[in-house]
Amino acid sequence: MWMWVVHRVTGVAIFFFLLVHVLDTSLVRVSPEAYNEVIGSYKTPLYGLVEAGLVAAILLHGFNGLRIIAVDRSTWALRHQRQLVWAVWIAFAVLMVPFLWRHLGHVFGGA
Amino acid sequence: MMTAQPSVRPPRTPSGRTRRNAEKWSWVFMRITGPVLLILIVTHLFINLMTGDGISQIDFAFVAGKWASPLWQVWDLLMLVLALLHGGNGMRLLINDYAHHPWLRKVLHSALGIAVIGIIVLGALVIFSFDPCPVDADPSLLPSFCEDVR
């Protein structure tokens, strides 16, 4: 039930970011200055945290999607679907920790 | 594909589609594009945010450097099309679930369709009409290979 909510909420968040992300990237057709100015705002601490949330949403949605496929396709996965929820969160954490380490270093460390 | 036909209890909302199997194909589409998108997007995030200086390296020259390679042009086009169709189809299902008035459903479906098609067309045009070395631009903002082009 909760993973169903997580899947919907992360899906909607990713969709709206995707619309904005194509629009901001389209500024490369306007001028290098216009693109660099807008993408510069993505490097501020606030946006840095929003990006971290976005990467989290993508990883959760993706891994939970794989769990849904597995549960539909195999009776083993269906019987172990609760453990697979744990597997989703563990895989999520395993990728998020090094990502946050590096990304927040870039955002806050000025590296 | 599947032999048993499971009956799905409410609150699953009937889509109102009249074309047979339309919703089955929507389901198959999500199942196929989901794992493909996971690979495309995780790679995209890894290259752009984990390698080099991460988010700090992203500017016009970085994008120009990537799109100089047909691999990344095709990669980004695939991501654009699949992600918008996958996300758009997901949003369509949410509209079916939560928008109960027929007129509201129609308005939201139309807005969604326009947004999805508009963004796909815009993104594809940007990828393939992109000029990495615009003549009137400040040379310091351009990728280094532009010096050889002039």
Side-chain angles (χ1 to χ4, degrees):
Chain A
M1 168 64 197
W2 281 110
M3 291 316 277
W4 180 85
V5 174
V6 165
H7 209 71
R8 293 209 155 190
V9 171
T10 52
V12 171
I14 296 164
F15 180 77
F16 281 108
F17 170 76
L18 179 60
L19 298 184
V20 176
H21 187 48
V22 175
L23 291 175
D24 65 54
T25 305
S26 298
L27 289 172
V28 295
R29 280 303 271 121
V30 177
S31 73
E33 287 86 355
Y35 180 76
N36 286 356
E37 187 174 333
V38 170
I39 218 68
S41 65
Y42 278 78
K43 301 170 187 176
T44 60
L46 177 65
Y47 275 80
L49 292 175
V50 172
E51 282 144 25
L54 212 87
V55 170
I58 288 166
L59 293 177
L60 273 178
H61 191 91
F63 290 149
N64 190 52
L66 294 182
R67 183 186 68 94
I68 294 172
I69 294 174
V71 166
D72 265 3
R73 292 190 66 90
S74 112
T75 50
W76 179 89
L78 183 60
R79 273 183 279 119
H80 296 84
Q81 69 95 11
R82 276 188 180 278
Q83 287 95 314
L84 285 175
V85 172
W86 281 104
V88 167
W89 285 99
I90 291 168
F92 165 74
V94 164
L95 290 198
M96 267 319 267
V97 168
F99 166 73
L100 285 178
W101 185 269
R102 222 172 137 64
H103 179 66
L104 296 180
H106 292 134
V107 171
F108 292 98
Chain B
M1 198 166 196
M2 296 235 169
T3 46
Q5 288 285 317
S7 65
V8 181
R9 284 181 296 115
R12 283 285 179 273
T13 318
S15 72
R17 297 285 285 267
T18 48
R19 205 163 356 129
R20 278 178 65 236
N21 284 337
E23 292 303 332
K24 189 191 91 178
W25 286 114
S26 140
W27 178 87
V28 170
F29 176 81
M30 297 306 255
R31 286 295 147 100
I32 294 172
T33 53
V36 174
L37 278 166
L38 187 60
I39 294 167
L40 289 173
I41 293 174
V42 166
T43 308
H44 172 75
L45 290 172
F46 183 82
I47 300 276
N48 288 24
L49 298 179
M50 295 288 280
T51 64
D53 288 329
I55 185 84
S56 316
Q57 73 191 331
I58 297 178
D59 58 11
F60 182 88
F62 178 82
V63 177
K66 269 187 97 179
W67 283 350
S69 148
L71 169 73
W72 291 119
Q73 285 187 316
V74 172
W75 194 283
D76 287 1
L77 180 73
L78 256 181
M79 257 193 321
L80 172 80
V81 174
L82 294 183
L84 274 156
L85 292 180
H86 184 104
N89 195 36
M91 292 298 282
R92 183 184 67 83
L93 297 174
L94 293 201
I95 292 170
N96 287 345
D97 274 359
Y98 299 119
H100 298 301
H101 296 286
W103 60 268
L104 180 62
R105 223 183 245 214
K106 198 159 263 177
V107 168
L108 291 176
H109 279 153
S110 308
L112 177 66
I114 291 168
V116 166
I117 293 170
I119 293 289
I120 288 178
V121 169
L122 173 71
L125 281 175
V126 168
I127 294 173
F128 290 105
S129 72
F130 175 66
D131 177 6
C133 310
V135 279
D136 50 348
D138 177 354
S140 70
L141 301 178
L142 301 182
S144 53
F145 60 73
C146 288
E147 289 169 30
D148 309 328
V149 175
R150 284 162 192 230

